[in-house]
Amino acid sequence: MSEYGVAIQRAAEWIAVRDKVVVFSGAGLSTESGIPDFRSPGGVWDRYDPEDFSFQNFVASERSRERYWQLATEMYETIRTAKPNSAHLAIAELERLGRLDCVITQNIDGLHLKAGNSEGKVIQLHGTSLYVTCLECNKRYERDPIQDRIARGDRAPHCDACGGPLKPATVSFGQSMPFDEMQEAGLRSSACEIFIVIGSSLVVYPAASFPLIAKQNGARLIIINREETPFDATADLVIHGEAGEAMSGILQKVKKMITDHIS
Ligand code: NAD
């Protein structure tokens, strides 16, 4: 068996006999759904200036909010039409098999929920682009009707209730992380048995601290990524490859192990 095959087999053996598996996903999980990540060639940072997406920029002026919404609208069109790929579907299947404790995701695309994971199992650390919130009164809106307003010429939409500026319900650079989600993610990371990182460069903090919390509390750390990450040396198992192929391979073996065990 190839080194890759051995790694897939070992990951499946670990997962098949444990029910506290935490999946930690990054933008690389969704590239096979057609959503570019940030740091790969052709990714978002090749085409946009990170400063355009900072919170400071958003609150600075009506003009900078118009620029933000223009870029966010371009990116949302891809997210709105994207479908879960085989890696998302495999993670949803792990929940149905009773192996998944939770998904901690840095992604804002909502694809774990579209794939069938239940809301209570998905911790969205960086929020969601499928909703919009008012920065003054926190009123929440579905994204599509707000995009309709933009399509009709409203370049930086405002809240119906209080007139405050509306912003996609994502956590931008410079914006504080959501307290409840951070706390929950910390608890789940420290209590899990297996922590699987999928498609994250592990350079964005504080999100990237969760694999270490898991490892320090005794979990086995698995990393699935196309390229090396700063945590490879710390991991118990590193699978260099595509998220979809790796997760489908692992799932197939987990299912077989569970069936063989029952029969
Ligand atoms: P990142 O862009 O820094 O890293 C992505 C990693 O995934 C890279 O190391 C890349 O080599 C790897 N990768 C890409 N495609 C892969 C594939 N098919 N299989 C395996 N590995 C693959 O992303 P990050 O670590 O998530 O951090 C950046 C921030 O990006 C997050 O805060 C997130 O909010 C934001 N983001 C989210 C989306 C989304 O919601 N889909 C898209 C772009 C950026």
Side-chain angles (χ1 to χ4, degrees):
M1 205 188 286
S2 66
E3 200 181 318
Y4 178 82
V6 170
I8 297 286
Q9 173 76 17
R10 183 162 304 153
E13 282 166 4
W14 291 350
I15 294 167
V17 294
R18 287 175 181 83
D19 56 10
K20 281 198 183 157
V21 176
V22 168
V23 168
F24 178 84
S25 61
L29 184 71
S30 296
T31 55
E32 291 169 71
S33 293
I35 303 173
D37 64 9
F38 273 171
R39 292 175 181 78
S40 292
V44 174
W45 293 157
D46 274 359
R47 289 176 292 126
Y48 299 111
D49 181 350
E51 186 50 34
D52 284 331
F53 287 101
S54 74
F55 189 63
Q56 284 67 20
N57 186 57
F58 190 87
V59 294
S61 69
E62 192 68 2
R63 194 163 161 64
S64 56
R65 280 191 282 282
E66 287 177 6
R67 168 84 179 142
Y68 183 103
W69 272 106
Q70 186 194 347
L71 302 179
T73 296
E74 275 175 43
M75 289 173 70
Y76 179 64
E77 194 46 34
T78 311
I79 288 177
R80 194 179 62 78
T81 51
K83 294 195 170 52
N85 62 54
S86 50
H88 295 104
L89 297 174
I91 297 163
E93 186 68 18
L94 286 182
E95 179 180 336
R96 283 189 285 276
L97 292 171
R99 292 299 179 270
L100 187 75
D101 182 64
C102 72
V103 178
I104 302 171
T105 187
Q106 301 172 90
N107 294 345
I108 55 167
D109 53 33
L111 287 180
H112 286 295
L113 298 175
K114 276 195 196 168
N117 279 119
S118 42
E119 277 196 36
K121 291 274 186 191
V122 182
I123 302 171
Q124 301 183 113
L125 283 183
H126 294 165
T128 171
S129 61
L130 305 186
Y131 288 86
V132 167
T133 30
C134 170
L135 291 186
E136 299 283 344
C137 71
N138 287 326
K139 183 172 174 185
R140 201 168 158 92
Y141 297 80
E142 286 191 8
R143 178 80 179 254
D144 285 343
I146 302 298
Q147 287 302 140
D148 290 344
R149 283 200 218 169
I150 289 171
R152 290 196 300 268
D154 185 352
R155 291 151 67 102
H158 289 81
C159 179
D160 298 335
C162 76
L166 295 183
K167 179 182 173 296
T170 54
V171 178
S172 301
F173 292 105
Q175 196 168 8
S176 48
M177 297 289 287
F179 181 81
D180 291 349
E181 282 80 355
M182 285 298 286
Q183 198 174 40
E184 185 70 11
L187 289 172
R188 301 299 189 97
S189 301
S190 54
C192 71
E193 299 169 287
I194 298 181
F195 191 98
I196 315 176
V197 178
I198 311 175
S200 176
S201 60
L202 294 175
V203 296
V204 178
Y205 280 85
S209 58
F210 293 116
L212 277 189
I213 293 175
K215 179 77 185 150
Q216 281 161 359
N217 284 279
R220 283 190 169 152
L221 177 60
I222 303 175
I223 295 179
I224 301 174
N225 209 59
R226 253 184 206 162
E227 53 182 18
E228 288 179 9
T229 78
F231 287 51
D232 283 7
T234 313
D236 296 284
L237 190 61
V238 177
I239 300 174
H240 284 148
E242 296 298 299
E245 188 190 353
M247 284 308 295
S248 314
I250 291 170
L251 176 72
Q252 212 180 354
K253 287 185 183 294
V254 168
K255 278 172 134 173
K256 181 159 183 343
M257 287 169 197
I258 293 174
T259 319
D260 289 352
H261 183 71
I262 291 169
S263 58

